[in-house]
Amino acid sequence: VKMSLRSQTVEQQNLCHQFSEITQATPEVAASILRKCKWNIRQAIEVYWESADLCSPAVDSSAIEALFDKYKDPDDNAIGVDGLINFCNDLEIPPDDLRMLYFCYNLKAKSAVRWTNGEFVQGLARLGVDSIVKIRDSLKSMRAELTSPSKFKDFYAYAFDISRQDGQKVLDLQTAIQLWKMLLEGRFEHLDLWCEYLEKVYQKSITKDTWQLTLEFSQTVNEDFSNIDLDNSAWPVVIDEFVEYCRAKVPS
C-alpha cells in the first residue's frame, strides 16, 4: 500500500487528502476507493458512505445494551419520549436539532419518539459507537456525510416519512416549514421566500410529491427564475404559483 501511495501523482495525492478531510477515512482507504472510482472524488465519497463492504469499528455490545437499558421506558422494551429527552440531555444536543433527526436516520428508526431495542442496538453497532461520547463525536461528521447528493436525497425523503403524524399521508405545514429551514438552509437560495409564500398564501398540508419536487426545484431553479416557463411547466401548481408570487414581488 505504501508503494501505491508514493506512486500517486500530485493531483491524486490532493484528491486523497480532500477525501480524507471529508470522510475522516485513512489515506489507504481514500486511495483504494478513489482508484476504483477512477479518481472521481464525488463518486468516491458516495461509494464510501453507501458501501456495505465497509466494516464498522468493533463495539462493546454489552455497553450498547447498558445504554439502551439506561434510557428505555420501564413499561416498554423501547426508548420513549422521557428516555429520548434524557438521551439528548446527555448528548448536550436539543431534541429538535437536525443532528437528532440524522441520528434517527442512522438508526433506521420508524418513529422519532420511540426507538425499539433492535433499532437502537443494531443502529449503534452499524455506527461503530458504544458510548455517549462516541455518539456525540459521530454526529460531528453529519454535514460532511451529507455532501453526498444521494445520501442527502435519501435523508431528505426519510425526514418527511418520520415526521408525519400516525396514519397521515401528508405533512403538517408548520412541521414541513420547520424541516425545510433545517434541511435546505444554504442549499435553496429562495428558502425564506418559499416559507413566506407557504405561510401567507398556500396554507395547506404538504404531500410527499410536493416535498420531493421541492428538493428538485431548489437544486435546479435559477436565481431569477429565468429557467421556469410557466406556460409549459411540469412543476406542481404550488411551485408554479410560488414563482408567480416571487415575480410579482420583484417585477422584471
Side-chain angles (χ1 to χ4, degrees):
V1 173
K2 290 182 179 178
M3 285 295 293
S4 65
L5 290 177
R6 282 202 296 267
S7 64
Q8 292 169 3
T9 66
V10 173
E11 182 180 0
Q12 289 170 344
Q13 290 174 5
N14 288 337
L15 287 171
C16 285
H17 179 71
Q18 291 176 41
F19 184 95
S20 295
E21 282 282 302
I22 292 172
T23 65
Q24 304 302 307
T26 64
E28 291 79 11
V29 169
S32 174
I33 297 178
L34 279 163
R35 194 175 296 111
K36 289 177 182 176
C37 295
K38 298 181 179 179
W39 300 96
N40 181 320
I41 189 168
R42 181 180 291 274
Q43 182 183 351
I45 289 171
E46 290 200 36
V47 168
Y48 178 82
W49 294 131
E50 296 168 7
S51 175
D53 297 329
L54 292 168
C55 298
S56 298
V59 294
D60 183 345
S61 57
S62 62
I64 294 177
E65 286 287 358
L67 272 179
F68 177 80
D69 289 340
K70 177 180 179 180
Y71 299 111
K72 75 173 183 178
D73 190 315
D75 300 320
D76 184 15
N77 191 35
I79 297 174
V81 174
D82 290 342
L84 284 167
I85 292 172
N86 292 333
F87 179 74
C88 290
N89 287 339
D90 288 347
L91 281 177
E92 299 177 345
I93 297 176
D96 59 354
D97 191 286
L98 183 62
R99 286 170 293 178
M100 292 313 302
L101 182 61
Y102 190 62
F103 182 71
C104 288
Y105 169 74
N106 281 320
L107 292 186
K108 299 183 179 180
K110 294 181 179 178
S111 169
V113 294
R114 183 180 182 273
W115 300 334
T116 66
N117 177 273
E119 289 170 343
F120 188 82
V121 171
Q122 293 170 27
L124 264 59
R126 279 195 307 273
L127 289 169
V129 295
D130 51 22
S131 70
I132 286 293
V133 171
K134 290 179 181 178
I135 294 170
R136 187 189 300 125
D137 287 344
S138 74
L139 291 172
K140 292 178 181 177
S141 65
M142 177 189 73
R143 293 194 183 281
E145 292 176 23
L146 292 178
T147 58
S148 162
S150 61
K151 192 175 188 73
F152 179 78
K153 184 177 181 180
D154 191 50
F155 175 50
Y156 178 87
Y158 173 84
F160 179 92
D161 292 333
I162 200 173
S163 300
R164 289 177 298 174
Q165 294 183 356
D166 290 343
Q168 296 293 313
K169 292 185 177 181
V170 296
L171 192 60
D172 170 75
L173 179 60
Q174 289 305 317
T175 301
I177 289 173
Q178 182 182 7
L179 285 171
W180 271 319
K181 286 181 177 179
M182 290 194 297
L183 290 163
L184 297 184
E185 182 182 6
R187 294 175 180 266
F188 183 17
E189 187 167 1
H190 305 292
L191 178 60
D192 289 342
L193 273 173
W194 173 244
C195 294
E196 175 188 304
Y197 164 75
L198 293 172
E199 287 188 306
K200 291 185 176 180
V201 181
Y202 188 66
Q203 299 180 341
K204 299 174 186 175
S205 297
I206 301 299
T207 65
K208 182 68 175 283
D209 187 52
T210 297
W211 177 262
Q212 291 298 111
L213 286 171
T214 298
L215 176 61
E216 183 180 341
F217 177 74
S218 72
Q219 295 170 335
T220 57
V221 64
N222 290 345
E223 180 182 357
D224 60 357
F225 303 100
S226 58
N227 60 332
I228 306 297
D229 180 3
L230 293 179
D231 293 329
N232 299 286
S233 175
W235 296 107
V237 173
V238 60
I239 290 180
D240 285 345
E241 292 182 348
F242 166 65
V243 173
E244 290 180 337
Y245 175 81
C246 292
R247 286 176 174 170
K249 286 178 73 74
V250 186
S252 56

